[in-house]
Amino acid sequence: MSGRIFGTTKILGVMGFPVSHSLSPVMHNAAIAALGLDYVYVPFPIAVDDLPTAIAGLKTIQSIRGFNLTIPHKVEVMPLLDEVLPIAQAVGAVNTVKRVGDRLIGTNTDVAGFLNPLKQLNCEWENTPALILGGGGAAQAVVAACLELGCSVIHVAGRDPKKMKKFHGSMTSQLHDYNLRVHPWTSIPHLLEVAGIVINATPIGMAGDPNTPISEEEMDLLPDHAIAYDLIYTPRPTKFLQIAAAKGLKTIDGLEMLINQGAIGLEFWLDLPVPIEIMRQALHQHLATQS
Ligand code: NAP
């Protein structure tokens, strides 16, 4: 963003509730400024029940070129769009929407955002069992990502057996022909012994929560070559990643996923290569001023 809004300025944004905490405006406006584009990226606080009215309204505002969706709108937006791309159908959630003429097209960039940091690693994914902690919305994208990586088996552990059964049913109806197994939370120690990558897809350990999804003793059960990936990006690093790093494991934090999903989304809207390093720097600088 140049800091100036004109009659020609095009609008991007993020819909959520609440949305004031979103880091997306920081990274997108930094990229827009670096590219010298006449765009601005703004937060749209939209309550759950207002989503259909909001989507219908913004469809009529031609200067709105695209938007992200965050909690609680990622699933509910799907029937309100003109088209949902296969990756978002597979995940069962849309996080990015683009206007093409009068049509709104939804996709999911969380999958590729999660994958990009992993693709830089030299890993034999076909011999790597994945363990996902938590079975919520983000876990759905992580399952699709692990499938794309070719992980030998995907284990998901959750605390509510009914929800985990539903999770298994909805994922297997959308993504066929792969090895997905759901487990109770109490099975985690046994699953850690064979995991090549363990992913925290719960909010345990977010800023203000001193807990970890797995204890220091349980971390000892992981093989030496295992990767620990936490989707959480505040604090950085989480206690989960601190323990993993102290054991000598490779670690990845949620900020890289956030940056990568954002960069892929911006490229989808603009049809231009985007300056991911500037987005990364903007977020790092912003978070440094918050701590
Ligand atoms: P969600 O849909 O609410 O799912 C959270 C999952 O964690 C649920 O399965 C929930 O189980 C489980 N859980 C919560 N507290 C738990 C506890 N104390 N013990 C065991 N399980 C627990 O949330 P989400 O959208 O998937 O997000 C999950 C995390 O990923 C959040 O921290 C979010 O900030 C992060 N995230 C990061 C990115 C990124 O770009 N880095 C993107 C998306 C999400 P129940 O259903 O039984 O409550």
Side-chain angles (χ1 to χ4, degrees):
M1 181 174 60
S2 65
R4 294 164 71 186
I5 308 284
F6 304 96
T8 51
T9 301
K10 295 175 257 324
I11 300 163
L12 301 169
V14 52
M15 292 187 185
F17 204 78
V19 76
S20 57
H21 65 283
S22 172
L23 297 175
S24 295
V26 174
M27 64 175 166
H28 285 300
N29 286 319
I32 288 166
L35 291 166
L37 297 176
D38 185 14
Y39 274 78
V40 63
Y41 185 104
V42 291
F44 298 122
I46 292 165
V48 179
D49 294 345
D50 292 336
L51 187 69
T53 320
I55 297 286
L58 69 76
K59 231 183 140 171
T60 66
I61 306 171
Q62 296 289 332
S63 54
I64 295 182
R65 296 306 166 96
F67 51 92
N68 287 126
L69 296 128
T70 184
I71 293 171
H73 299 315
K74 286 186 180 186
V75 177
E76 284 68 20
V77 76
M78 294 178 74
L80 306 172
L81 301 174
D82 298 296
E83 184 180 346
V84 174
L85 297 183
I87 185 66
Q89 283 175 17
V91 174
V94 162
N95 78 328
T96 306
V97 172
K98 174 178 178 166
R99 172 191 293 278
V100 179
D102 286 332
R103 303 180 73 240
L104 295 179
I105 300 175
T107 188
N108 189 304
T109 68
D110 281 335
V111 178
F114 173 84
L115 279 178
N116 276 3
L118 291 173
K119 282 186 172 164
Q120 290 158 23
L121 304 179
N122 188 13
C123 202
E124 284 179 18
W125 295 110
E126 66 279 11
N127 297 323
T128 302
L131 169 59
I132 303 168
L133 309 175
Q140 287 178 255
V142 174
V143 167
C146 291
L147 176 65
E148 194 176 320
L149 280 176
C151 289
S152 52
V153 51
I154 304 167
H155 299 288
V156 187
R159 62 181 173 179
D160 183 331
K162 275 193 196 144
K163 283 188 187 171
M164 294 314 292
K165 198 173 168 204
K166 200 171 158 204
F167 182 90
H168 186 267
S170 72
M171 292 311 293
T172 43
S173 68
Q174 291 163 61
L175 301 164
H176 306 283
D177 195 25
Y178 72 108
N179 204 349
L180 173 71
R181 298 181 201 168
V182 296
H183 306 267
W185 196 255
T186 46
S187 300
I188 289 175
H190 164 68
L191 296 166
L192 287 170
E193 288 173 10
V194 293
I197 178 167
V198 57
I199 301 131
N200 178 29
T202 77
I204 305 170
M206 274 176 93
D209 177 358
N211 296 308
T212 52
I214 57 178
S215 68
E216 199 161 350
E217 295 72 39
E218 287 172 334
M219 196 76 83
D220 279 333
L221 299 170
L222 277 168
D224 293 343
H225 61 269
I227 301 162
Y229 196 146
D230 201 333
L231 301 197
I232 293 172
Y233 46 82
T234 48
R236 298 183 66 228
T238 56
K239 197 167 161 193
F240 168 65
L241 292 190
Q242 283 177 37
I243 299 170
K247 307 265 182 216
L249 304 184
K250 169 86 192 148
T251 62
I252 304 174
D253 76 32
L255 199 65
E256 276 306 305
M257 174 175 171
L258 182 79
I259 293 164
N260 277 280
Q261 66 77 28
I264 296 160
L266 191 60
E267 210 166 302
F268 178 61
W269 291 321
L270 301 177
D271 285 320
L272 286 174
V274 299
I276 188 166
E277 198 43 47
I278 285 177
M279 298 171 85
R280 183 177 284 113
Q281 275 171 20
L283 277 184
H284 283 221
Q285 276 168 16
H286 175 81
L287 290 171
T289 63
Q290 307 291 297
S291 56

